[in-house]
Amino acid sequence: MGKFLLILGRGVGQVMFQNNALSGALMLVGILLNSWQMALLAVAGNIVGTLAAYLSGYSREDIENGLYGFNGTLVGIAIGVFMPITLPSLLLLIVVSCLSTWIAWLFSLQRFISGFTAPFILSVWILLFVCSCWFPSLLLKSENSAGTQAFAFLQSFSLNIGQVMFQGGAILTGLFFLLGILVNSRVNAVYAVLGALLPIPIALLAGVESAVLTAGLIGYNGVLCAIALGDKTWSGGVYAVFSVLLSVFLQLLGMNVGITTLTAPFVLSVWITIGIRYLLLTLFPAKQKVA
């Protein structure tokens, strides 16, 4: 039982690249502070995704490191965001969490690019497409979040972190997420702060409505980009900043054309940045020191 709880904790922590059960537990507390229903859905999606990987005979090491739980965690929360909690939506949670696990396995068959949260994105996009076309009654009616709410810096910063897992209702949630990162990696925590801060002035310059900015809807992809690419080197910092800026652009573009972006701007930004880094290293290989 203890080992299973560790796996589930890592499955939550891996949403923000933290292979640490304590990190996941702190993040789950953060979700709980905002919504106990979403916390339960996160756990449910995590369990389903992990069990699907176990029953499918996937890598035990990857399962124990939570790599088949974090997409399910996001799927579970997404169910609560886009659907009322009913028996059909809970059944869909099981199906879509399993789907995310199978897509994650497909990504694991190649070593060119990491899937990151792409399995979650693709699974939820498929869900939303099917429901929109054939079962619209299963979806919650979208609400316009735009308004005249004044810009609040702390709220925007914290919710930029919290919205990584759809948590836009409590400032403490984002702070618990940050604490969860900090207990595992100070470097990741620094980059999480950078990823949450940098989109704010960019969004202000772009004239983003204050309610959208304050809800954390512009910066959450940047948080993931910064953690994914940032390290202790100057080049890592430059690539992280570039990816964050690119993710903000892609998020604004997606929102303007009416796309439910989820974490697609993060995945695309990191893939593009990794591609650019590979190209630069190929064109300008580092000089080898002669002993």
Side-chain angles (χ1 to χ4, degrees), residues 143-152 155-156 160 199-219 248 252 255-256:
E143 297 180 0
N144 186 359
S145 61
T148 58
Q149 180 179 358
F151 170 71
Q155 182 175 343
S156 181
N160 276 346
I200 295 175
I202 304 302
L204 289 172
L205 290 173
V208 174
E209 293 181 4
S210 61
V212 175
L213 175 59
T214 308
L217 296 176
I218 303 301
V248 173
L252 292 174
M255 293 175 69
N256 285 334

Side-chain angles (χ1 to χ4, degrees), residues 139-216:
L139 297 175
L140 290 169
K141 294 182 179 179
S142 60
E143 297 180 0
N144 186 359
S145 61
T148 58
Q149 180 179 358
F151 170 71
F153 178 81
L154 176 60
Q155 182 175 343
S156 181
F157 166 77
S158 180
L159 297 189
N160 276 346
I161 302 174
Q163 285 285 11
V164 171
M165 297 194 220
F166 298 101
Q167 304 307 300
I171 293 177
L172 280 177
T173 298
L175 299 181
F176 264 89
F177 284 9
L178 183 59
L179 179 61
I181 298 170
L182 181 62
V183 298
N184 188 56
S185 171
R186 287 176 292 179
V187 173
N188 285 173
V190 169
Y191 276 102
V193 171
L194 172 68
L197 289 177
L198 189 55
I200 295 175
I202 304 302
L204 289 172
L205 290 173
V208 174
E209 293 181 4
S210 61
V212 175
L213 175 59
T214 308

Side-chain angles (χ1 to χ4, degrees), residues 52-76:
Y54 179 80
L55 294 174
S56 300
Y58 297 161
S59 167
R60 289 293 183 89
E61 181 180 359
D62 289 346
I63 292 173
E64 292 179 1
N65 286 330
L67 296 179
Y68 285 109
F70 72 91
N71 282 291
T73 297
L74 289 171
V75 167

Side-chain angles (χ1 to χ4, degrees), residues 14-290:
Q14 287 283 15
V15 173
M16 303 184 79
F17 302 101
Q18 306 307 306
N19 184 14
N20 186 305
L22 177 58
S23 297
L26 288 168
M27 293 175 190
L28 192 58
V29 170
I31 299 173
L32 186 63
L33 290 172
N34 184 51
S35 168
W36 65 267
Q37 294 100 328
M38 285 193 180
L40 289 178
L41 291 171
V43 172
N46 191 329
I47 291 174
V48 171
T50 301
L51 287 179
Y54 179 80
L55 294 174
S56 300
Y58 297 161
S59 167
R60 289 293 183 89
E61 181 180 359
D62 289 346
I63 292 173
E64 292 179 1
N65 286 330
L67 296 179
Y68 285 109
F70 72 91
N71 282 291
T73 297
L74 289 171
V75 167
I77 300 172
I79 291 293
V81 171
F82 296 109
M83 296 180 165
I85 302 176
T86 61
L87 180 58
S89 67
L90 293 177
L91 292 175
L92 285 171
L93 182 152
I94 295 173
V95 173
V96 180
S97 294
C98 289
L99 178 60
S100 73
T101 292
W102 297 329
I103 295 175
W105 175 73
L106 291 176
F107 271 101
S108 73
L109 297 179
Q110 52 79 44
R111 299 299 175 187
F112 296 103
I113 57 173
S114 174
F116 300 120
T117 56
F120 148 69
I121 298 166
L122 295 173
S123 300
V124 173
W125 275 351
I126 291 171
L127 170 68
L128 294 178
F129 176 78
V130 171
C131 289
S132 297
C133 291
W134 292 288
F135 308 102
S137 62
L138 292 177
L139 297 175
L140 290 169
K141 294 182 179 179
S142 60
E143 297 180 0
N144 186 359
S145 61
T148 58
Q149 180 179 358
F151 170 71
F153 178 81
L154 176 60
Q155 182 175 343
S156 181
F157 166 77
S158 180
L159 297 189
N160 276 346
I161 302 174
Q163 285 285 11
V164 171
M165 297 194 220
F166 298 101
Q167 304 307 300
I171 293 177
L172 280 177
T173 298
L175 299 181
F176 264 89
F177 284 9
L178 183 59
L179 179 61
I181 298 170
L182 181 62
V183 298
N184 188 56
S185 171
R186 287 176 292 179
V187 173
N188 285 173
V190 169
Y191 276 102
V193 171
L194 172 68
L197 289 177
L198 189 55
I200 295 175
I202 304 302
L204 289 172
L205 290 173
V208 174
E209 293 181 4
S210 61
V212 175
L213 175 59
T214 308
L217 296 176
I218 303 301
Y220 66 92
N221 286 289
V223 172
L224 291 173
C225 289
I227 299 173
L229 294 172
D231 56 31
K232 294 181 180 180
T233 66
W234 282 106
S235 61
V238 170
Y239 287 124
V241 169
F242 172 79
S243 184
V244 171
L245 296 177
L246 180 58
S247 74
V248 173
F249 168 77
L250 292 176
Q251 176 72 349
L252 292 174
L253 178 63
M255 293 175 69
N256 285 334
V257 299
I259 297 175
T260 303
T261 57
L262 304 175
T263 52
F266 147 63
V267 174
L268 290 174
S269 298
V270 172
W271 282 350
I272 292 170
T273 304
I274 290 175
I276 292 173
R277 181 171 63 184
Y278 176 79
L279 180 62
L280 291 175
L281 290 175
T282 301
L283 295 175
F284 307 103
K287 295 182 179 180
Q288 300 294 322
K289 292 183 178 181
V290 179

